Amino acid sequence: MADALVSPAVAGVAAAVSVTLLAVSAHKVKSSATENLVPLMGVMGAFVFAAQMINFTIPGTGSSGHIVGGILLGALLGPWAAFLTLASVLVVQCLIFADGGLMALGCNLLNMGVCSTLIAYPFIYRPIAGGGEKTWRVIVAAIVASVVGLELGALLVTAETELSGVTALPTREFLGLMTSIHFFIGIGEGIATAAVLYFVKLYQPSLLAGYRNMTGTHAGGYKRAAWIFLGIALVLGVAFTWIASAYPDGLEWSISKITGSADLPGAGAAVASTIASVQKSTSFLPDYESTWSGIIGCGVVVALVWVVCALLTKKKHPANG
């Protein structure tokens, strides 16, 4: 979401809820993180960052979509580590690339992060996939959970926009467009997620969080899997300018269908203007203007996740007596 869709009050409430959930996630990761989980979080964050840059066309609509990555992260990292990782991706996108408004960051954390990692993954994916022994259940779970996560996000975007009251978008029409286009985007993400999880299950099933929980085994092959995901992330980070769809994404498409343009006037409140100026000062690569944006973004996400997790998992040494 852009800042033009939300009021400072709605943005503030969303930010408060998001920060609270991030604090809970940090506590959960701190108490349960293994030495292998932290590097995998960093690498998977880079992978999702790069994958989100590749918009795929929704045939017959003139729209495009990109994966959120929450279900994939949840299946490999568990819900709390997944939310922390996806939040790092969204923060980097916002601050460095001006992708999504800074004032609306709390809303984006809820719409993309919470709906996928803390709702769709534990309540939809996990019950359907079970321990991951049956491939068909993993595939069905990935598709259904991806669709549910995106539909919940579309509902929240519409609700946040309506509650903010800073645009003249008709709620019923906006909701219909958002939910319909994100249904198809969810199917696309679900298929992509299922494909990745299929290969993980085939070659390194111990990476799957459900498998570890049921068998009690420790995940193995982290280094090999991490290098593979990092390699794919770097390739996507270089190739995104050539293979990404030029069509507007689901939110922009929905707005343009109503107003005739994907752009909305910026929020006029003083607090919105101040926050926008802060974002302008931090985003040194707005709109991914450099060919190296993907590589830079992947590196920053890995570094951010590792620094955060290193601080969380740092052990206190007893004072000398």
Side-chain angles (χ1 to χ4, degrees):
M1 292 183 74
D3 288 344
L5 290 172
V6 296
S7 67
V10 170
V13 172
V17 175
S18 296
V19 168
T20 300
L21 290 173
L22 283 172
V24 175
S25 298
H27 175 74
K28 296 284 187 179
V29 171
K30 182 177 182 178
S31 61
S32 62
T34 64
E35 61 179 350
N36 289 319
L37 182 62
V38 173
L40 187 62
M41 287 173 63
V43 169
M44 289 309 302
F47 178 82
V48 167
F49 173 87
Q52 284 191 9
M53 298 176 73
I54 312 298
N55 280 43
F56 52 87
T57 299
I58 308 300
T61 65
S63 177
S64 69
H66 63 75
I67 75 163
V68 172
I71 304 303
L72 176 62
L73 292 174
L76 297 179
L77 306 173
W80 299 107
F83 180 53
L84 203 59
T85 302
L86 187 51
S88 300
V89 172
L90 296 176
V91 167
V92 170
Q93 289 175 337
C94 177
L95 293 180
I96 296 180
F97 301 99
D99 188 0
L102 179 55
M103 189 173 73
L105 180 57
C107 293
N108 289 325
L109 288 171
L110 290 179
N111 305 341
M112 298 175 69
V114 173
C115 287
S116 60
T117 63
L118 301 184
I119 299 178
Y121 168 72
F123 297 109
I124 305 297
Y125 175 88
R126 211 154 53 182
I128 297 176
E133 302 94 339
K134 296 183 178 180
T135 301
W136 71 267
R137 290 186 62 173
V138 172
I139 294 173
V140 171
I143 295 174
V144 174
S146 295
V147 170
V148 170
L150 284 181
E151 290 291 80
L152 288 174
L155 286 171
L156 271 183
V157 168
T158 307
E160 290 156 357
T161 302
E162 174 66 15
L163 289 172
S164 294
V166 295
T167 71
L169 295 174
T171 302
R172 182 175 297 180
E173 186 178 359
F174 188 41
L175 177 62
L177 290 168
M178 283 289 288
T179 52
S180 61
I181 195 63
H182 282 90
F183 174 81
F184 293 107
I185 295 173
I187 292 176
E189 170 163 11
I191 292 171
T193 300
V196 174
L197 293 178
Y198 171 77
F199 284 105
V200 171
K201 181 180 181 297
L202 196 63
Y203 296 107
Q204 196 62 57
S206 58
L207 286 177
L208 297 173
Y211 177 94
R212 296 197 299 273
N213 292 338
M214 287 195 67
T215 63
T217 59
H218 294 289
Y222 270 92
K223 289 185 178 179
R224 181 167 175 264
W227 280 114
I228 291 173
F229 277 112
L230 184 59
I232 296 173
L234 295 178
V235 170
L236 293 177
V238 172
F240 82 97
T241 55
W242 303 313
I243 62 179
S245 172
Y247 288 123
D249 65 24
L251 176 57
E252 294 169 340
W253 176 86
S254 299
I255 293 172
S256 66
K257 282 289 184 179
I258 297 173
T259 66
S261 172
D263 298 322
L264 289 171
V271 63
S273 300
T274 301
I275 294 175
S277 65
V278 172
Q279 184 180 25
K280 186 175 181 180
S281 67
T282 63
S283 54
F284 61 89
L285 287 174
D287 299 320
Y288 308 96
E289 61 185 15
S290 170
T291 305
W292 299 101
S293 293
I295 302 297
I296 294 171
C298 288
V300 174
V301 168
V302 171
L304 178 60
V305 172
W306 280 15
V307 168
V308 170
C309 290
L311 293 174
L312 291 176
T313 57
K314 184 178 180 181
K315 296 180 179 179
K316 295 182 179 180
H317 297 286
N320 294 328

